[in-house]
Amino acid sequence: MRRAVSGLNQERVVFLLFVLILLTFSLALPGFLNAQNLVLLMRGVSVLGILSVGMCIVVIGRGIDLSMVATMALSVAWALQLNADGMSLPMALTIGIASAVLVGLINGVLIAYAEIPPIFTTLATGACVYGFGRFALIHSDLVYVTPSVGSLVELGQGRVLGVPMPVIVFAAIAALVGAILHFTKFGRFSYAIGDNYGTARVSGVPIRHVLIGQYVLSSLVAFVAGLTQAMTVSSMNTRISDTLLIYDVILVVVLGGVGLSGGRGGIRNVIVGTLLIGTFLNGMTIMDVQYTMQNAIKAAILLVAITIDTLINPRDEQTSQHGDI
């Protein structure tokens, strides 16, 4: 009996819901199976999925990164701005990547050494990144991709065997991070920290170094997501930092089955969560559901998902004393 119940875990339930929604939209919405719409769906899902992979890394370690979208937008926008101002593309991208890494380092150090809760640390750094970036680094809200990027634009607009490049980038990032989480000491330590912080500490896990590594890796993934997004639409709008995209990312991670209590879930959960939420949002857009109503629906789903996660994975006494997000 236990095997039968455990066989129907959250990942499988979410995948079945995705299939059900996909079939329903295919039958009910005339334009859903349109080739152009499917390409848009795949591209949109890919950027959301890449960001969710980065979020998954820190959530497994019992953290959260609310600065991801700001890091994505400002680091990529700055790189594009530098390139438009005459700097070579490799140097501009290097500076953009370095700025993303710096944000991850700041987050990691504040969380690991100052022991500031992740939710407050990353909320503050996200606001600082956006404010400082728009004040000192970026000339306007919208930074366009110039012809000097050359073949890099294929990262967002190219196809391989008919598959959009953003989908391939998502698959590559998911595979890479999945391998890191499951086949390296860093990954095993991340799960150990999320599962039981105290036990991980007494077992000799270099907790502070691992935490810093998680947030640096999260920021790097955010940069890749931003670059893919910019190459897809030929621009980067820094105002994306003010949208609710970060809550879509959290929704994907939690709904997919990556527990907020840490130490559970993985890339497969992110993939099924991305498919479900991406398809659901695309269907609501086709049905011309107002943006504010979409946000209300997503917020309700997120609240239900967090409630279910809390009931399935109750936070024990040790959890409540450390690492609260």
Side-chain angles (χ1 to χ4, degrees):
M1 183 67 178
R2 287 186 178 180
R3 290 183 179 180
V5 174
S6 62
L8 193 61
N9 58 23
Q10 186 171 341
E11 178 186 331
R12 291 185 176 90
V13 171
V14 172
F15 182 74
L16 290 175
L17 286 175
F18 157 68
V19 173
L20 179 61
I21 290 176
L22 183 67
L23 292 175
T24 302
F25 285 167
S26 299
L27 295 174
L29 302 178
F32 184 77
L33 289 180
N34 181 279
Q36 183 177 2
N37 179 64
L38 290 179
V39 170
L40 291 174
L41 170 62
M42 294 172 70
R43 285 177 175 169
V45 161
S46 298
V47 173
L48 177 61
I50 295 170
L51 286 170
S52 300
V53 168
M55 183 67 76
C56 174
I57 298 168
V58 295
V59 171
I60 285 174
R62 199 180 288 173
I64 199 166
D65 188 355
L66 299 182
S67 66
M68 281 191 72
V69 176
T71 301
M72 173 190 81
L74 273 300
S75 62
V76 172
W78 191 24
L80 295 177
Q81 183 72 68
L82 292 172
N83 180 241
D85 291 343
M87 182 179 290
S88 67
L89 182 62
M91 181 59 69
L93 290 177
T94 299
I95 292 176
I97 292 172
S99 66
V101 169
L102 178 61
V103 176
L105 279 172
I106 293 172
N107 283 334
V109 168
L110 290 176
I111 293 167
Y113 286 90
E115 298 187 355
I116 303 174
I119 190 170
F120 300 122
T121 299
T122 57
L123 182 64
T125 53
C128 289
V129 165
Y130 178 72
F132 177 76
R134 280 296 291 112
F135 175 76
L137 305 177
I138 313 300
H139 302 336
S140 62
D141 290 328
L142 191 63
V143 182
Y144 291 97
V145 173
T146 63
S148 59
V149 302
S151 59
L152 185 62
V153 74
E154 294 298 313
L155 185 69
Q157 301 180 17
R159 297 190 186 188
V160 176
L161 300 177
V163 180
M165 273 300 295
V167 177
I168 296 175
V169 175
F170 174 31
I173 292 296
L176 177 61
V177 173
I180 291 173
L181 289 175
H182 289 91
F183 301 110
T184 67
K185 287 184 178 180
F186 172 81
R188 291 192 292 271
F189 289 163
S190 294
Y191 278 101
I193 293 171
D195 184 55
N196 193 309
Y197 185 93
T199 300
R201 180 187 290 274
V202 299
S203 298
V205 174
I207 291 176
R208 288 173 173 170
H209 294 166
V210 173
L211 289 176
I212 292 173
Q214 288 172 355
Y215 286 92
V216 168
L217 189 54
S218 172
S219 293
L220 284 172
V221 172
F223 181 85
V224 174
L227 192 61
T228 304
Q229 171 78 4
M231 294 304 116
T232 300
V233 299
S234 299
S235 64
M236 173 53 72
N237 190 344
T238 58
R239 285 192 176 273
I240 196 174
S241 302
D242 291 332
T243 67
L244 298 180
L245 177 58
I246 190 64
Y247 298 106
D248 292 347
V249 174
I250 297 172
L251 179 58
V252 165
V253 172
V254 176
L255 194 61
V258 182
L260 289 175
S261 57
R264 187 176 64 87
I267 299 303
R268 289 194 315 181
N269 301 92
V270 170
I271 293 173
V272 296
T274 301
L275 291 174
L276 176 61
I277 296 304
T279 304
F280 183 68
L281 294 179
N282 182 263
M284 286 199 297
T285 301
I286 293 177
M287 289 186 291
D288 199 25
V289 177
Q290 290 185 352
Y291 182 70
T292 52
M293 180 56 68
Q294 289 190 31
N295 289 336
I297 294 173
K298 288 186 294 184
I301 295 174
L302 178 58
L303 182 60
V304 171
I306 292 176
T307 301
I308 293 174
D309 176 73
T310 302
L311 294 175
I312 295 176
N313 306 286
R315 300 169 71 82
D316 55 24
E317 182 179 354
Q318 184 274 331
T319 299
S320 65
Q321 291 175 352
H322 184 91
D324 286 334
I325 64 170

